Amino acid sequence: MNATDFRTCPVTARRIHRPAETLVKANAVVAVVSLLIGAIAAVLLVLTRWQAVHLLPAEWFYRILGVHGMSMLIFFIIFYEMAVLIFASTALINARIAAPKLGWAAFALMLGGATLVEVIMWAGKADVLFTSYVPLKADPLYYLGIILFAVGALLVCGIFFANLVVARREQTYTGSLPLVVYGAVTAAIIAVITLLHGAAIYIPTFLWSLGLMHVDPQVYRMIWWGLGHSSQQINVAAMVAIWYMLGALTIGAVVLNEKISRSAFVLYILFISMASAHHLLVDPGMGSAWKIVNTSYFMYMAVLASMIHGFTVPAGMELGQRLRGVGTGMFGWLRKAPWGDPGFSSLVFSVVVFGFVGGITGVTIGTEQINIIVHNTLRVPGHFHATVVSGTAMAFMGATYYLIPLVFQRKVAFWGLAKIQPYLFAGGMFIFVMSMTFAGTFGVPRRHWDISFSQAPFDVAFNPAVDVLLAFVALGGIIAATGAFIFVAIAVKSVFFGEPIGTIVPGVAVAGLPQGITNPPVHAADVDRRNEEMHAPGQGFLGPAPGTMVLVFVFLAAFIVYFFVNWKVLSFVWKIG
């Protein structure tokens, strides 16, 4: 290691390790390519689910459905998360990467595995959908590709922990790990748990595909969801960490209480894997007691963690704005926020849709009794598109608008489009998710090529409203995909052909640079007085963050109404009342 291995960030003044930075770039680029593949597949799928268009034949519908799931939920998300882990364990604590050559070997394994899986899926040798439930059998190379990808990701997690050890030994930071890095630690721990589940089931399944052993379908389902559900919780931990980072970068958000936020991350580690049981609530092979304990007790502890972050993040944003003297009244801090900054708008949309739509629907369908009217309907993908896509992907996009200048040292291309891209993507996803959820309420099945059952010996008649809802599913999906394509175009143009950021003059706005970079948020000169006034006893029961408290009550009211309506619908099914 020598001095030339490092550069100093002109914005944050942090010491950046160049080999680590290059690895971050590589993982981020592949993540964007995976997003592009998944978005193309998404357009084909929504135009097929729209009964009036019905674009793809049955065989290709199920094939593209598998491509969409793996490209989006696994490759895009996890490649980006690997970039986050390397970035958090080096740039955010002024540290170096412990084993750069091993990092590239891990990247090669992940890239090779992902490429192998994509080739096999597009070739029609793995039409087993995302879950690949046994006894559905894919080509052995499909399972091998997943295993190679997982091994590479596991190596990156090991490098992440090694980076933290090296940083502590070399004293590149003082005190506790920053909260954003702590969130990344949570994501890495959950990733290790997740990947161990994957090894426990995919290695035997690979051998089964070769005819060397037997795999019990029920055991497969139980262990696979320890991988399938937990892999999405890596996203949640990484997403929340990015929430805190974007809040600080865009409007100078503060952390209300470090201990509470860190404790919420610990709850994710302890209980999130157990919550995977909610995918098996209608599985006849699992006992009711096991289902109830995992979903009605352990899952709620993980939900509590998300509710804590769902309060502390916007409350920290509100306090940050008030300490800067921005806005008055209940929601002045929100009205005067930098809505033209794509990093900020992405953050807000991520928090709102994840919490209000994904969170409320998730807790509801995770209830054993209610799940019986939800299982295998469009309400299920409606829920996880609200969490993983509207929540996680939106947060990752917002972070990218800051990583392009900070890591790639380029201005954000197509700046005018970048400002509206979060609105386009979030608006399209909201239409998509809500339409899909309501269509599922009418019993429309998920993962189904033709809900009219046109070639079946029986007829299934849905409410005419279903046709309208599926049209809106397609409309929202196309709008969201357009937002995704714009994001990909911005990222590619910025990274490979972008204009260097040049010299940044504080306070001078520059097209292509978010305002959090050109005009970093700072607290008002009389910040101590403002802080005392906000915490004075005369503030009333709403406290120093009254706007956030009102939003919390709105959230709770929406949750109560939605939960009650679902029980009412269930009573109709059971002929009660």
Side-chain angles (χ1 to χ4, degrees), residues 375-389:
H375 178 74
N376 211 34
T377 71
L378 279 181
R379 289 178 66 181
V380 176
H383 156 69
F384 64 70
H385 277 84
T387 55
V388 179
V389 186

Side-chain angles (χ1 to χ4, degrees), residues 418-490:
K419 289 183 176 183
I420 66 171
Q421 184 272 332
Y423 295 88
L424 197 62
F425 185 80
M429 284 309 306
F430 184 77
I431 295 171
F432 175 86
V433 166
M434 296 304 293
S435 301
M436 186 175 274
T437 300
F438 282 116
T441 304
F442 284 102
V444 177
R446 62 180 297 209
R447 290 176 160 183
H448 212 288
W449 172 67
D450 181 16
I451 65 169
S452 68
F453 296 89
S454 57
Q455 299 175 359
F458 51 83
D459 180 56
V460 177
F462 286 101
N463 190 297
V466 166
D467 291 327
V468 177
L469 289 170
L470 291 179
F472 274 101
V473 168
L475 175 64
I478 291 171
I479 293 173
T482 301
F485 292 142
I486 291 173
F487 172 78
V488 171
I490 291 170

Side-chain angles (χ1 to χ4, degrees), residues 28-337:
V29 167
V30 177
V32 171
V33 173
S34 301
L35 173 64
L36 176 61
I37 297 172
I40 293 171
V43 172
L44 298 175
L45 292 174
V46 296
L47 290 178
T48 303
R49 286 309 302 254
W50 186 5
Q51 292 293 124
V53 178
H54 217 47
L55 181 65
L56 297 174
E59 180 181 6
W60 272 97
F61 170 77
Y62 293 109
R63 184 170 303 159
I64 296 300
L65 189 56
V67 169
H68 175 68
M70 292 300 295
S71 299
M72 289 295 217
L73 289 173
I74 300 298
F75 301 145
F76 162 57
I77 293 291
I78 294 183
F79 268 116
Y80 200 99
E81 283 163 356
M82 297 301 103
V84 169
L85 291 184
I86 298 170
F87 178 77
S89 61
T90 56
L92 294 186
I93 51 177
N94 303 303
R96 62 182 176 89
I97 187 170
K101 291 183 179 179
L102 184 60
W104 282 109
F107 174 75
L109 281 173
M110 291 179 66
L111 181 59
T115 303
L116 183 58
V117 170
E118 290 282 358
V119 169
I120 295 299
M121 287 191 298
W122 283 99
K125 297 180 180 180
D127 295 340
V128 292
L129 300 182
F130 176 64
T131 48
S132 56
Y133 280 157
V134 171
L136 295 176
K137 184 180 291 187
D139 188 286
L141 291 177
Y142 172 80
Y143 304 108
L144 179 61
I146 294 175
I147 292 169
L148 292 175
F149 180 85
V151 170
L154 193 58
L155 286 175
V156 175
C157 292
I159 293 169
F160 169 80
F161 291 117
N163 292 346
L164 298 182
V165 172
V166 170
R168 172 63 74 178
R169 183 183 302 161
E170 296 178 355
Q171 299 181 340
T172 62
Y173 69 97
T174 58
S176 302
L177 286 171
L179 184 60
V180 174
V181 182
Y182 193 87
V185 171
T186 302
I189 293 173
I190 298 174
V192 172
I193 297 171
T194 300
L195 294 168
L196 291 177
H197 278 94
I201 197 58
Y202 268 119
I203 292 176
T205 307
F206 170 62
L207 297 175
W208 165 76
S209 70
L210 294 171
L212 299 178
M213 66 177 293
H214 170 72
V215 174
D216 181 87
Q218 181 181 332
V219 173
Y220 178 94
R221 293 193 300 273
M222 182 176 70
I223 299 178
W224 191 92
W225 277 113
L227 161 73
H229 180 76
S230 299
S231 65
Q232 307 318 311
Q233 306 317 309
I234 309 171
N235 311 342
V236 172
M239 174 191 70
V240 172
I242 287 175
W243 284 355
Y244 284 110
M245 181 183 76
L246 284 176
L249 286 172
T250 57
I251 58 173
V254 299
V255 179
L256 296 188
N257 188 300
E258 286 262 357
K259 291 182 179 179
I260 290 178
S261 294
R262 290 172 189 266
S263 298
F265 278 121
V266 173
L267 289 177
Y268 280 148
I269 297 172
L270 295 178
F271 297 105
I272 208 68
S273 294
M274 298 177 183
S276 62
H278 81 268
H279 292 279
L280 303 169
L281 284 175
V282 300
D283 196 308
M286 312 297 174
S288 294
W290 180 83
K291 295 175 182 177
I292 292 171
V293 167
N294 278 276
T295 59
S296 295
Y297 294 96
F298 292 150
M299 187 181 82
Y300 291 161
M301 298 304 293
V303 171
L304 175 62
S306 291
M307 293 183 73
I308 290 173
H309 292 305
F311 171 73
T312 58
V313 170
M317 292 163 60
E318 179 176 355
L319 261 64
Q321 286 283 77
R322 294 186 185 279
L323 290 174
R324 293 171 57 219
V326 177
T328 57
M330 189 73 71
F331 294 108
W333 60 277
L334 199 54
R335 288 194 303 272
K336 294 188 176 181

